[in-house]
Amino acid sequence: MLELLLMLDCKYGRTIPELSERFEMSYRTVYRYFDTFKRVGFVIDNNNGFYRINKKNSIAQDISQLLHFSEEEAFILSKVIHSIDENSELKEKLVKKLYSLYDFDRVIYAITKKEETENIYNLLQAIKQQKQVVLKSYKSGYSKNISDRVVEPIDFTVNYSGIWCFDTQDQSNKIFKTSRVKKIEVLETTYQYKSNHQVGMIDVFRVHSFKPIAIELSLSLVAYNLILEEFPLSEKYIKKKSDNHYLLSTEVGNFFGVGRFILGLPGEVEVVHPKALKSYLNDRMKKSFSYDTS
């Protein structure tokens, strides 16, 4: 009933069929809940079949206030959320709680960039309904092409910056960046490849993979401070050995992200494990300093 009440606190209203489908209940049950809301003091407006809570005329003002963000409150909420680091787990939890409680209407400016919010909302609904979607005019960072991609959305990454999907064309699981999608078209087609769905891991250096590799790095104080600033999720995997010695023990998707970090801090990071990472760094160093003398 609380979720239904939250749905009715919107700008344009909701239809009975929409509420019935959303909560998998009969029209009669929806109307019965409406009667309950009216008995406790809520006024429900009906505008050509679109129902919504009239907060100004509702007697239950205390509860009404819980269902509404004023423009000023939304602005403050937006500033607070965006002040948290983009890759913070705390930010991700706040965002997911707000979306689960308020769906779309009251947090349009507080969750992500305004132009991306509707896309994220549509993806959330597609996941709930297990529907395929079309990522319209998706800009690929690998192929450099712009094309429509038919996918089955599975789950979001940190802060909704990306979404794990099963690509129906490539027949593989991958991450798509939400900022690179022009528009989301939710199809009537339900999941066809659910048994193939798989969500991989994203390491502290923001590299994703389905085959994590365990690493250990010895960090100086300089490296420790920089890794916390650039990759704050690494903090929970770091142990202090002394004032100028820290040990990072974690898993990475591949050596690209961690390798770039190490090579950017010569003399400040020592690879403890594995040997393959040392070989990767040596190869990168050789390629960086090799040149054609002909």
Side-chain angles (χ1 to χ4, degrees):
M1 290 180 70
L2 179 58
E3 287 183 312
L4 178 57
L5 198 59
L6 288 167
M7 284 285 288
L8 292 173
D9 181 40
C10 57
K11 187 173 182 180
Y12 300 107
R14 312 284 187 180
T15 66
I16 299 299
E18 178 184 2
L19 295 172
S20 173
E21 181 180 357
R22 170 66 181 271
F23 297 104
E24 298 181 348
M25 62 177 65
S26 67
Y27 291 8
R28 183 178 178 180
T29 302
V30 175
Y31 283 119
R32 189 170 69 247
Y33 284 168
F34 280 11
D35 290 338
T36 301
F37 299 152
K38 292 174 183 177
R39 285 200 301 271
V40 298
F42 284 98
V43 175
I44 300 178
D45 289 340
N46 178 4
N47 183 16
N48 295 321
F50 286 84
Y51 296 85
R52 69 185 184 93
I53 294 292
N54 184 326
K55 290 183 289 291
K56 291 183 179 180
N57 296 325
S58 292
I59 297 173
Q61 288 294 320
D62 290 341
I63 297 179
S64 292
Q65 290 302 315
L66 293 175
L67 307 181
H68 175 67
F69 287 129
S70 67
E71 183 178 358
E72 182 179 19
E73 289 169 338
F75 176 74
I76 293 172
L77 182 63
S78 175
K79 291 196 68 174
V80 171
I81 290 179
H82 286 298
S83 70
I84 303 174
D85 183 88
E86 287 296 316
N87 295 280
S88 167
E89 288 184 316
L90 172 61
K91 183 171 185 176
E92 180 184 15
K93 289 178 181 178
L94 283 172
V95 168
K96 286 190 174 181
K97 282 182 179 180
L98 285 169
Y99 258 131
S100 65
L101 283 173
Y102 299 105
D103 272 346
F104 180 56
D105 299 280
R106 276 157 303 283
V107 289
I108 185 170
Y109 300 111
I111 302 303
T112 184
K113 294 179 181 178
K114 181 180 178 181
E115 60 271 18
E116 296 174 17
T117 304
E118 186 173 357
N119 284 344
I120 292 175
Y121 173 74
N122 288 333
L123 286 168
L124 280 166
Q125 299 311 306
I127 292 173
K128 289 180 182 179
Q129 299 168 16
Q130 299 193 7
K131 296 285 185 67
Q132 291 185 350
V133 303
V134 181
L135 308 179
K136 305 290 287 188
S137 301
Y138 182 77
K139 301 176 183 177
S140 173
Y142 294 99
S143 65
K144 309 299 180 184
N145 293 328
I146 299 177
S147 61
D148 293 349
R149 314 288 284 269
V150 178
V151 302
E152 296 182 355
I154 305 171
D155 195 13
F156 285 93
T157 63
V158 173
N159 196 30
Y160 293 85
S161 59
I163 182 166
W164 287 98
C165 297
F166 183 81
D167 190 324
T168 61
Q169 180 178 350
D170 295 347
Q171 292 288 293
S172 63
N173 295 285
K174 59 183 70 171
I175 289 179
F176 292 91
K177 296 291 185 181
T178 52
S179 61
R180 297 178 183 171
V181 183
K182 184 176 182 180
K183 184 180 179 182
I184 299 296
E185 178 185 344
V186 181
L187 303 176
E188 290 300 319
T189 309
T190 57
Y191 286 169
Q192 303 295 305
Y193 306 96
K194 189 173 181 179
S195 61
N196 296 327
H197 289 188
Q198 184 181 1
V199 174
M201 58 87 70
I202 301 178
D203 65 28
V204 298
F205 300 97
R206 303 173 191 135
V207 174
H208 69 272
S209 172
F210 292 99
K211 296 180 179 179
I213 306 168
I215 66 165
E216 282 192 13
L217 304 179
S218 178
L219 310 173
S220 69
L221 179 60
V222 172
Y224 170 75
N225 287 332
L226 284 175
I227 198 171
L228 292 187
E229 291 174 6
E230 295 181 17
F231 308 104
L233 292 182
S234 64
E235 183 174 7
K236 60 183 178 181
Y237 303 107
I238 299 176
K239 292 183 179 179
K240 182 178 180 179
K241 296 299 183 180
S242 66
D243 289 342
N244 194 43
H245 181 205
Y246 299 82
L247 187 66
L248 169 67
S249 300
T250 187
E251 293 181 331
V252 295
N254 58 46
F255 293 147
F256 179 76
V258 63
R260 185 170 54 183
F261 174 75
I262 296 172
L263 293 174
L265 291 170
E268 304 293 341
V269 182
E270 178 186 350
V271 177
V272 179
H273 176 81
K275 291 183 179 180
L277 177 54
K278 295 180 180 180
S279 299
Y280 172 84
L281 294 172
N282 288 331
D283 290 341
R284 287 288 302 273
M285 290 289 288
K286 289 177 182 179
K287 291 179 180 178
S288 298
F289 290 102
S290 63
Y291 56 91
D292 188 358
T293 57
S294 60

